[in-house]
Amino acid sequence: MTQTGARWTADQVLALAPDAASRRAGSEPGAAGPWSGTGCSEEGAVWGLCGAGGSGPYRTVVDVADASGPAYECSCPSRKSPCKHALGLLLLWSEGEAAVPTGAKGRAPDWAQAWFAARRGHPREDRGAGAGGSGAGSADPEAARRRAERRAERITAGATELEQRLADLLRSGLAAVDQAGYGLWEETAARMVDAQAPGLAARVRELETIPASGPGWPVRLLEECALLHLLDQGWLHRERLPHALAATVRTRVGLTRSPDGPPVRDDWLVLAQYDVVDPRLTTRRVWLHGTTSGRTALLLSYGAAGRAPDLSLPVGLALDAEVSAYPGAGQRLALGEQFAPPVPTTVRPGGVTTAEAAARYGSALRDDPWLDSVPVTLEGVVPARDGASWQLADADGDTALPLTPTATARPGWWRLVALSGGAPVKVFGECGHHGFTPLTAWPPTPGEPVRLC
């Protein structure tokens, strides 16, 4: 059975709200009322009963895997699309398995099965809302087109407002930003969520941490503002962009898309796995390498704050599975059918020099200027001092890659130094404009990989 990919974040859910009032009404998972009978399927259906009124619970079901955008059905009388119950249900779903279980733990009731089967069985029929329903789940292509146009208009309005705010920021000078506090950025990020552009909101929130990041922060803030300006301009002039770059811009502003690439079956070597934690969400990044295709790609899995994501693949094992690519120029894939459990393997990925790694990142920026890093396996490198910091130097050359500041702060860095002992090693990691972050290493002699993160 093919999975539909990771659960959405709360920002992605709230970006679906038709207006600010709906966003406020559905901003808490339980705000619409007490939920019961919640569940979801691997095909993309999410359902639940919301006991919000005296006439019985409202029946709410959402199709999150529709190629033209999510579709909704609710027995409440609201005419908004989506209604607050659909938003509340999706927020519960974003919190993980404990709130909305998958598969056998969350078997769909007959009414949800019938709606979902009708949509998938007759994709061109416009079913509307039914009696008293909210009607957002219509499979009518024309209705889907109108929904997409309305959201594009909101994002355009948000991008235009963000351009003005960036211009005001630069006009008043970056020196004043340090005294403005987080309120300046949070209010701007909230405006981007209202504009249904969670990708822009996330990049704005990243700006708020830069003024407290140490010496040289004005330069770093200016660089990030320039990238945000470039993304704004990409959205506002997306019709002039090449198809692949336009798809990347849509993804970067936060438009969720289903995987559209053909399934690729391979023995996928698990190169690395690590978590990125913030107060709202835990994101698990899993890097895979196709032993036949030679492709290196990324799987993402999410868990609500304080909860570990569901997906876990041990480093060094190989997985016989199908994957599908997401639209755009990124490396992200969706994990499809798995034909066997992960098994040990002696396969190692091929490596490149440090100069080739830097050139690979530069080439990738042509397709995605907002790319922080690319996956790279370095062949025959040695940890070496670079003044007060460290670098990975080619054993047989005269070039090296500096390490990112976070890399040397991790205990794993010293495992790499010990593993090398001054001898060349093979290292997989992420190479970007901040430097190289090692994630996994292989010893000079045959042996199992060593996790560095």
Side-chain angles (χ1 to χ4, degrees):
M1 183 175 292
T2 301
Q3 296 177 342
T4 58
R7 300 191 185 210
W8 301 343
T9 66
D11 278 350
Q12 288 173 322
V13 172
L14 292 176
L16 300 171
D19 50 41
S22 296
R23 177 174 174 266
R24 287 191 297 271
S27 60
E28 295 294 336
W35 287 94
S36 62
T38 58
C40 63
S41 72
E42 292 182 337
E43 292 85 356
V46 185
W47 60 84
L49 298 172
C50 184
S55 59
Y58 294 131
R59 296 176 173 182
T60 308
V61 60
V62 183
D63 180 0
V64 298
D66 191 291
S68 62
Y72 324 91
E73 174 84 1
C74 185
S75 59
C76 77
S78 173
R79 296 183 176 274
K80 292 185 177 181
S81 169
C83 66
K84 67 178 182 179
H85 306 104
L87 289 173
L89 177 61
L90 288 178
L91 284 172
L92 276 179
W93 173 67
S94 73
E95 290 191 348
E97 283 286 319
V100 180
T102 305
K105 293 182 291 183
R107 188 171 184 84
D110 291 343
W111 56 268
Q113 288 186 26
W115 179 82
F116 192 71
R119 281 186 49 75
R120 293 301 174 91
H122 306 282
R124 292 190 176 275
E125 183 179 349
D126 183 1
R127 276 165 250 292
S134 59
S138 170
D140 179 8
E142 180 62 22
R145 184 189 64 80
R146 290 195 298 268
R147 290 198 303 272
E149 286 182 350
R150 287 196 296 270
R151 183 171 183 186
E153 290 172 357
R154 294 189 184 101
I155 295 175
T156 297
T160 302
E161 179 180 345
L162 183 55
E163 283 290 274
Q164 184 59 54
R165 290 180 179 234
L166 289 174
D168 292 343
L169 174 67
L170 296 177
R171 188 178 298 111
S172 60
L174 296 181
V177 174
D178 200 16
Q179 284 75 43
Y182 291 155
L184 167 68
W185 307 111
E186 280 300 322
E187 195 269 338
T188 303
R191 292 291 298 161
M192 295 305 102
V193 172
D194 287 341
Q196 297 186 302
L200 294 179
R203 296 192 76 91
V204 169
R205 289 195 177 101
E206 290 174 2
L207 297 180
E208 71 184 19
T209 63
I210 296 178
S213 61
W217 69 261
V219 173
R220 293 191 292 276
L221 180 60
L222 184 61
E223 291 172 348
E224 293 302 321
C225 286
L227 285 172
L228 186 53
H229 165 70
L230 183 64
L231 182 56
D232 273 344
Q233 289 297 310
W235 172 263
L236 295 173
H237 302 94
R238 60 195 180 280
E239 68 282 352
R240 304 180 190 174
L241 301 178
H243 176 75
L245 184 56
T248 298
V249 168
R250 286 192 290 270
T251 300
R252 290 292 182 182
V253 300
L255 287 174
T256 55
R257 298 284 299 276
S258 300
D260 64 355
V264 177
R265 182 175 178 178
D266 205 338
D267 287 325
W268 297 93
L269 172 64
V270 184
L271 293 177
Q273 174 179 291
Y274 68 96
D275 293 348
V276 178
V277 181
D278 67 31
R280 297 183 179 87
L281 190 71
T282 298
T283 302
R284 176 162 293 166
R285 296 170 63 88
V286 181
W287 284 108
L288 302 178
H289 175 76
T291 57
T292 301
S293 65
R295 178 172 185 174
T296 302
L298 178 66
L299 296 179
L300 295 180
S301 181
Y302 300 96
R307 297 175 184 165
D310 295 331
L311 180 65
S312 182
L313 296 174
V315 173
L317 301 189
L319 178 67
D320 181 8
E322 285 184 342
V323 299
S324 298
Y326 281 85
Q331 302 100 1
R332 187 183 173 192
L333 297 177
L335 182 62
E337 185 173 358
Q338 302 177 39
F339 300 97
V343 296
T345 180
T346 58
V347 174
R348 297 184 179 188
V352 300
T353 66
T354 57
E356 290 169 333
R360 183 173 295 182
Y361 176 59
S363 177
L365 288 177
R366 293 198 300 265
D367 298 322
D368 185 354
W370 307 277
L371 191 63
D372 289 329
S373 61
V374 294
V376 171
T377 300
L378 299 176
E379 185 73 60
V381 292
V382 180
R385 283 282 188 181
D386 179 25
S389 59
W390 287 82
Q391 61 185 3
L392 289 176
D394 287 315
D396 299 325
D398 57 358
T399 58
L401 284 176
L403 292 215
T404 58
T406 57
T408 53
R410 295 174 176 173
W413 167 246
W414 298 108
R415 289 198 292 271
L416 176 58
V417 173
L419 179 70
S420 167
V425 291
K426 174 174 287 193
V427 182
F428 170 78
E430 297 171 346
C431 179
H433 60 285
H434 292 301
F436 186 83
T437 301
L439 301 175
T440 305
W442 291 262
T445 56
E448 295 183 356
V450 176
R451 289 188 61 177
L452 308 175
C453 56

